[in-house]
Amino acid sequence: MKTASGRAGEEHIAQWLVDHGYEMVARNYHSRYGEIDLIAQKAPYLCFIEVKTREENSLVSPFEAISPTKQRKIFLTALEFLQKHPIDLQPRFDAAAVILHRGKIVGEQYLENVF
């Protein structure tokens, strides 16, 4: 179950993507393997995006929290999505970090093609 800060982080990144020319395709897409937080497109890519939200100075960075096991679940979920929704764009796996200070969003980082 997502926390309020996790939902707020996803919403923040979804708006950031739209502001940068992406079109949202799906949010919180579930399969039997897991969940993909956001799916967005901007030609020539269909982006599967994992969003991690953390307080600044956390012991583990948001990107470190995307383990190889989580990456595999995202990959398998993306395969299922593509089988059900054929889209003629190149798949890409991105990650976004939302940084909080005392519960308020103070920044974000977006990495393309991370795994």
Side-chain angles (χ1 to χ4, degrees), residues 29-37 39 48-50 52 65-82 93 115:
Y29 180 82
H30 290 270
S31 79
R32 65 182 179 188
Y33 305 107
E35 178 196 41
I36 296 175
D37 294 329
I39 302 173
F48 299 95
I49 305 145
E50 178 66 10
K52 292 293 184 188
I66 306 172
S67 68
T69 300
K70 179 66 173 173
Q71 291 174 27
R72 179 173 161 68
K73 289 178 180 180
I74 293 168
F75 180 74
L76 292 171
T77 301
L79 284 176
E80 182 179 292
F81 177 87
L82 290 169
F93 295 90
F115 58 90

Side-chain angles (χ1 to χ4, degrees), residues 46-93:
L46 177 66
C47 304
F48 299 95
I49 305 145
E50 178 66 10
V51 179
K52 292 293 184 188
T53 304
R54 296 284 186 274
E55 275 290 326
E56 62 184 356
N57 301 320
S58 292
L59 293 176
V60 177
S61 81
F63 296 122
E64 288 176 313
I66 306 172
S67 68
T69 300
K70 179 66 173 173
Q71 291 174 27
R72 179 173 161 68
K73 289 178 180 180
I74 293 168
F75 180 74
L76 292 171
T77 301
L79 284 176
E80 182 179 292
F81 177 87
L82 290 169
Q83 289 171 346
K84 292 181 177 180
H85 307 91
I87 296 176
D88 193 24
L89 294 171
Q90 174 66 42
R92 187 177 80 193
F93 295 90

